[in-house]
Amino acid sequence: MSEQHLSDQQVRDRPAEGSLMDPEEALRRAVAVIEQAPESASALTLYALANTLEYERAGCLFKLTKLRDLAPVHRPIAYGLMERWTVQGIGDPAWVEARARMERAVRGSG
């Protein structure tokens, strides 16, 4: 879709071209999105992605079409989570704490 066919709001919500969110910031923002509205499409998609990244032996299978369920402002968070998995891995204390918070928010016990 060309720039001229987008609304002003859509243009504002689009991430900057070529920018990649810091992986630690992505983890913090993922938790914030999930805790703020755990039943939203963005929250559930980020939660599913975080879960999937923990199953490396199964190929971290994540249905990429689910990225379309994310608001444009939330897509960089997903890309940042994937970058964290790629560069730094998961399972460290920050990841474990973030995942526990995500789990509590989605499961309704937090």
Side-chain angles (χ1 to χ4, degrees):
M1 178 177 283
S2 72
E3 197 73 30
Q4 60 188 322
H5 292 97
L6 297 174
S7 71
D8 289 344
Q9 183 65 43
Q10 288 171 313
V11 171
R12 278 193 303 276
D13 287 350
R14 288 176 51 190
E17 298 284 328
S19 65
L20 187 61
M21 184 179 294
D22 172 73
E24 291 308 308
E25 180 65 17
L27 186 59
R28 285 189 293 275
R29 288 190 186 189
V31 171
V33 168
I34 293 167
E35 287 179 338
Q36 182 179 25
E39 295 177 0
S40 70
S42 286
L44 293 173
T45 301
L46 291 170
Y47 174 76
L49 175 61
N51 278 331
T52 302
L53 292 175
E54 294 185 349
Y55 293 98
E56 185 169 354
R57 290 184 69 193
C60 299
L61 297 175
F62 180 79
K63 191 172 183 179
L64 292 177
T65 57
K66 296 302 288 175
L67 292 173
R68 293 180 183 142
D69 292 341
L70 290 171
V73 297
H74 294 148
R75 286 188 201 125
I77 299 170
Y79 306 145
L81 291 176
M82 289 184 263
E83 181 71 4
R84 189 182 198 283
W85 175 86
T86 303
V87 173
Q88 144 182 11
I90 58 171
D92 59 281
W95 179 269
V96 171
E97 179 188 346
R99 285 283 295 115
R101 288 176 61 189
M102 291 177 195
E103 190 74 26
R104 283 193 301 271
V106 168
R107 302 278 180 210
S109 59

